[in-house]
Amino acid sequence: MTTLEDAKAKGADIYNLIPNSSPDLHSRKFPLHLVTGVDETMQVMQREIFGPILPIISYQSIEQVISLINKGDRPLALYLFSNSKDLQQKVIHQTRSGGVTINDVMLHVAQDDLPFGGSGHSGIGHYHGKEGFERLSKMRPVMYQASLSSLKLLYSPYSSLGKRMINFIINRKFGKYD
């Protein structure tokens, strides 16, 4: 509620899209709200919103939109509604976000075989599918050294063969054998 109150106090218009309803803290229900007339100083434009609040920003060109997206922290998700393949590719390639859904919202989260997660301020990494398993697992590397190893010749104290090997490695590295 404070996000909407902040927007209203700073001049935004707020539209409750569920008639005769209001936020109910006891039942934790919050009706869908559109917020127009937003600007960068408002919390609604600075926070990730995990609820039914949708700020609406008007624009004159797609370059304005791309600039606005790239100016702030990377969003967790980017939703583009367009059937233009050129526009889709432009937005995908010229912006950064955790994930992208074209012509729908939130469905990328439900795709078990697509990784889901943020980038930058909205989080790091992925979960879901193979990427999630690997990201949330900790591989425990274990190495066993053989009891007979030629590397032991390079351990101190050096044998005469070990000294010759070390000299060869040093001279090779610093160009005497090139």
Side-chain angles (χ1 to χ4, degrees), residues 62 66 78-95 100-104:
I62 195 64
I66 290 170
L78 188 150
Y79 305 114
L80 174 67
F81 289 84
S82 173
N83 291 322
S84 166
K85 301 292 183 196
D86 290 339
L87 179 60
Q88 292 171 4
Q89 291 306 305
K90 181 175 188 158
V91 170
I92 289 169
H93 292 294
Q94 293 184 13
T95 61
V100 178
T101 296
I102 305 291
N103 294 325
D104 215 317

Side-chain angles (χ1 to χ4, degrees), residues 30 101 134:
F30 197 94
T101 296
E134 289 174 352

